[in-house]
Every structure is written in structure tokens, then in C-alpha cells.
């Protein structure tokens, strides 16, 4: 089922074509990485979908419904964190969430809902530190609290605009684990924008590349793996003398050089482990290798 589909969506500000005929599709269960440089049009698309701005022309469907009125109805099933999360810095996590419950008209008691969302974003400890104000949280905690605020309404589609902005590597990892968990355990469909492809690479199942308001390409994670030459490199205990077994087992895109076997893309381990075992070869070490994803990104958008 398509959660979001856009039809030739355009948004023009005076002479700037922020979106210039965008067609993308996000399916149920996707973690859709929306990739583009600063100013490419990512936030503009998110603003249109969330109803903060109106398209100049074109339209979009949400949960399969395309009319503007249906879009409004469907927005109840969506939550978004656009730019920085709308937190009250002088309030604690609990108070921020309670306020959100009241604003959204969530039925009492709120405590249970709040505990649930704090657990989901791994911030339950903040219920103990009840007085700690949001302004004293780390940026990563603030971002996660922002997501907890979005989760209060129990959305099916979560939209995040540059959630990694300003985060350190640990914060980026926490965010990645959180989004993967929400997708897997709660079946949440997620749209996440970024200008850094490698940050989304361990997360997204599909990608849309946008530049100057135009979507250049949509591709799946496995297509990205293939095209950016993601490889698994195996160090073998001794050289594999014949490739015949690998070919017979259906291994396709690979390079064998003495005791190093490089397998491109994602291929089943069944296609080579048995062959190696039969030749009495052990795998001593496994590493992942890739062409620099940012190089791939820049070549995609025609930059240097
Ligand atoms: P960033 O990561 O920098 O936010 P982005 O990909 O989200 O980049 P947008 O914010 O969507 O990009 O901006 C796309 C283009 O539209 C830019 O050239 C921007 O200057 C322009 N733009 C966006 N909003 C407005 C506005 N309200 N008025 C005029 N121009 C705008």
C-alpha cells in the first residue's frame, strides 16, 4: 500500500522552484531516505505533506486518498518533527509530553501514554529525574524527546527532517537504532531527510535523491549497495584454487584473488560458505568495504 505518492508536485517562491515536478512513492513499511544538499527542496516537500504550505501545482495522496480534504483527514495518521523539535525548554520531559497530550486531546490518564512513549525512545530514566528541564538535555535526548512528542498521537507515518543535524556519532547511532526499532516493532513507515547519505545508509530501505527541486532518482537499498559497490571482503585460511564451485552455487558479482574473496552487493552466504567448507577453507576475517557513499551521492547529483 502506498502511504505517500506525489504527482508532479511544484512549489515556487517568487522565482525559486523549490520543488519542480516531484514524483515519489513511499510504501507501507519503508524507511525512505530523502537525500539532497542544503536548499535542494527537502523541507519544502515535508512542509507540503504536513499541510504547513500549499503546493503551487500538482497533488499528493496519503494512505491512498488524494483530495485535499482527504489529505487533511489522513494527517491525523501522520506525525512530523520538522527542523528542531518544538519543545518547551523550561519544562521537563514529562511536562512537555503532558502538554502534548492535552493539546492533542488524548484521554486521561496521561501517565501510561507518557511512560509508553518514553520507553520507546529510550528515555524512561527521565521519569526519575522529574525536574530536569529540556534545556539541560543533550541534543540527542532533545531529538528523541521530539520523537516521543510525535509518537503520542500513535501515528502510522513518521516524518523527520534532518534528525541527525548537530548530533555526535553516538547520537546518530542512537537515532538510527530508535528508528529501526520503531519501524520493525511498531511497523511505522518513516520518511527521513538528510544531506549526508552515509548517515542514512544503515537505515533506509529506499532512497529518493533530490537536487534543485527535482527528484533525480529513487532506488532501493540493494540497488544502492550494488551501484555504490558495497562489498563483503572475506580473508580465507588458504587460497581457493578453483572458482567453478562458486559459479555453480550461483555467486554472481565477486572477485577472487588468492585468499581474498570480495563479494559485491548483498548475496546469500549459502552461495559461498558451503563451497569454502568443501575445499576445507575457513573464513578468518570478514570486513565491509564500499566506495565512498558521498562520492556516489555527488556523482548522482552531478556535483564534484
Ligand atoms: P535545508 O537542508 O537547507 O533546509 P532543503 O533541501 O530542506 O535544505 P528547502 O528548505 O526545501 O531545502 O529549500 C528549497 C529552496 O526553496 C531553497 O532555495 C530555499 O531558499 C527556497 N525556499 C524555501 N522556503 C522558502 C520561503 N519561505 N521563501 C522563499 N524561498 C524559500
Amino acid at each position: 500500500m502506498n502511504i505517500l505518492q506525489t504527482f508532479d508536485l511544484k512549489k515556487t517562491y517568487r522565482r525559486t522552484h523549490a520543488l519542480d515536478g516531484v514524483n515519489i512513492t513511499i510504501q507501507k513499511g519503508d524507511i525512505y531516505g530523502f537525500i539532497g544538499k542544503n536548499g535542494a527542496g527537502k523541507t519544502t516537500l515535508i512542509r507540503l505533506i504536513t499541510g504547513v504550505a500549499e503546493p503551487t501545482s500538482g497533488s499528493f495522496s496519503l494512505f491512498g486518498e488524494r483530495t485535499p480534504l482527504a489529505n487533511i483527514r489522513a494527517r491525523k495518521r501522520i506525525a512530523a518533527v520538522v527542523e528542531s523539535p518544538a519543545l518547551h525548554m523550561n519544562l521537563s520531559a514529562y511536562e512537555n509530553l503532558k502538554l502534548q497530550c492535552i493539546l492533542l486531546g488524548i484521554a486521561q490518564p496521561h501517565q501510561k501514554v507518557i511512560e509508553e512513549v518514553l520507553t520507546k525512545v529510550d528515555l524512561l530514566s527521565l521519569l526519575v529525574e522529574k525536574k530536569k528541564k529540556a534545556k539541560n538535555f543533550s541534543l540527542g535526548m532533545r531529538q528523541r524527546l521530539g520523537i516521543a512528542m510525535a509518537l503520542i498521537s500513535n501515528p502510522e507515518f513518521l516524518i523527520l527532517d534532518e534528525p541527525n543535524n548537530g548530533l555526535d556519532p553516538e547520537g546518530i547511532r542512537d537515532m538510527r537504532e530508535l528508528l529501526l526499532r520503531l519501524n520493525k516493532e511498531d511497523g511505522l513507515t518513516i520518511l527521513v531527510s538528510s544531506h549526508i547519505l552515509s548517515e542514512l545508509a544503515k537505515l533506509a530501505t529506499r532512497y529518493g535523491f533530490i537536487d534543485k527541486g527535482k527528484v533525480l532518482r529513487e532506488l532501493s537499498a540493494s540497488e544502492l549497495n550494488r551501484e555504490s559497490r558495497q562489498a563483503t571482503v572475506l580473508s580465507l585460511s588458504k587460497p581457493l584454487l578453483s572458482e567453478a564451485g562458486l559459479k555453480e552455487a550461483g555467486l554472481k558479482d565477486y572477485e577472487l584473488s588468492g585468499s581474498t574473496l570480495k563479494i559485491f552487493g548483498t548475496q546469500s552466504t549459502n552461495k559461498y560458505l558451503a563451497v569454502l567448507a568443501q575445499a576445507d577453507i575457513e573464513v578468518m576475517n570478514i570486513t565491509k568495504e564500499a566506495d565512498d557513499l558521498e562520492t556516489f551521492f555527488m556523482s548522482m547529483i552531478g556535483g564534484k
Side-chain angles (χ1 to χ4, degrees):
M1 173 189 164
N2 287 344
I3 299 288
L4 170 72
Q5 187 169 8
T6 68
F7 304 93
D8 230 4
L9 211 49
K10 292 190 181 162
K11 179 70 182 176
T12 309
Y13 294 106
R14 290 171 190 261
R15 263 182 241 135
T16 310
H17 297 295
L19 292 182
D20 194 6
V22 164
N23 295 295
I24 62 165
T25 307
I26 301 182
Q27 288 174 343
K28 190 170 167 53
D30 277 347
I31 300 182
Y32 189 96
F34 199 36
I35 307 282
K37 289 188 294 191
N38 288 338
K42 305 178 297 292
T43 307
T44 303
L45 180 87
I46 290 173
R47 285 164 61 85
L48 297 188
I49 298 163
T50 49
V52 180
E54 289 286 318
T56 306
S57 67
S59 64
F60 59 92
S61 68
L62 282 168
F63 303 96
E65 297 197 79
R66 192 162 162 181
T67 62
L69 200 65
N71 285 166
I72 294 170
R73 240 191 345 258
R75 279 197 195 105
K76 290 210 169 112
R77 300 160 72 181
I78 293 177
V81 183
V82 182
E83 277 134 327
S84 49
L87 300 178
H88 294 274
M89 289 300 165
N90 278 322
L91 298 183
S92 68
Y94 183 86
E95 289 163 339
N96 265 293
L97 290 165
K98 177 140 181 136
L99 196 60
Q100 184 78 346
C101 285
I102 294 166
L103 288 174
L104 291 172
I106 306 279
Q108 300 257 25
H110 295 148
Q111 176 85 16
K112 189 166 165 278
V113 182
I114 292 174
E115 275 177 23
E116 251 170 43
V117 292
L118 281 176
T119 307
K120 278 188 182 160
V121 301
D122 214 5
L123 286 178
L124 197 60
S125 60
L126 286 178
L127 275 191
V128 183
E129 292 181 272
K130 253 192 156 150
K131 294 223 168 93
K132 191 167 178 167
K133 292 178 177 167
K135 65 180 174 196
N136 297 322
F137 295 173
S138 70
L139 192 61
M141 287 162 77
R142 276 187 218 159
Q143 292 290 45
R144 298 213 303 285
L145 180 56
I147 292 179
M149 303 269 279
L151 294 177
I152 286 270
S153 61
N154 207 9
E156 294 161 64
F157 182 29
L158 180 65
I159 299 172
L160 303 173
D161 191 19
E162 303 260 7
N164 288 334
N165 254 2
L167 296 187
D168 59 12
E170 196 187 338
I172 292 173
R173 189 203 57 206
D174 289 348
M175 180 62 68
R176 179 169 67 235
E177 285 173 1
L178 166 61
L179 299 184
L180 285 170
R181 220 167 43 232
L182 290 174
N183 175 254
K184 209 167 162 196
E185 291 172 12
D186 297 354
L188 208 59
T189 304
I190 300 173
L191 164 61
V192 50
S193 78
S194 179
H195 58 282
I196 304 172
L197 175 57
S198 52
E199 282 180 5
L200 294 189
K202 291 182 199 142
L203 177 70
T205 54
R206 292 186 66 233
Y207 299 87
F209 286 81
I210 184 168
D211 189 44
K212 299 191 189 82
K214 286 186 195 297
V215 170
L216 303 175
R217 225 183 130 188
E218 284 186 296
L219 75 176
S220 67
S222 54
E223 283 168 323
L224 177 75
N225 277 340
R226 229 174 8 249
E227 293 195 22
S228 63
R229 301 297 278 173
Q230 305 275 322
T232 308
V233 185
L234 309 181
S235 302
L236 310 178
S237 56
K238 57 184 182 189
L240 178 65
L241 298 175
S242 161
E243 295 181 29
L246 296 176
K247 289 207 170 91
E248 259 168 47
L251 195 67
K252 286 201 179 85
D253 199 8
Y254 69 91
E255 277 169 21
L256 178 66
S257 158
S259 52
T260 304
L261 175 60
K262 198 185 251 194
I263 297 148
F264 293 101
T266 326
Q267 302 192 54
S268 162
T269 53
N270 290 345
K271 291 185 177 165
Y272 52 85
L273 286 183
V275 179
L276 296 176
Q278 203 145 40
D280 199 23
I281 292 177
E282 281 184 51
V283 177
M284 309 304 283
N285 190 27
I286 302 180
T287 51
K288 289 269 179 193
E289 207 176 73
D291 269 5
D292 178 4
L293 283 172
E294 299 317 318
T295 310
F296 175 78
F297 173 33
M298 294 314 279
S299 67
M300 167 88 73
I301 62 171
K304 296 205 174 56

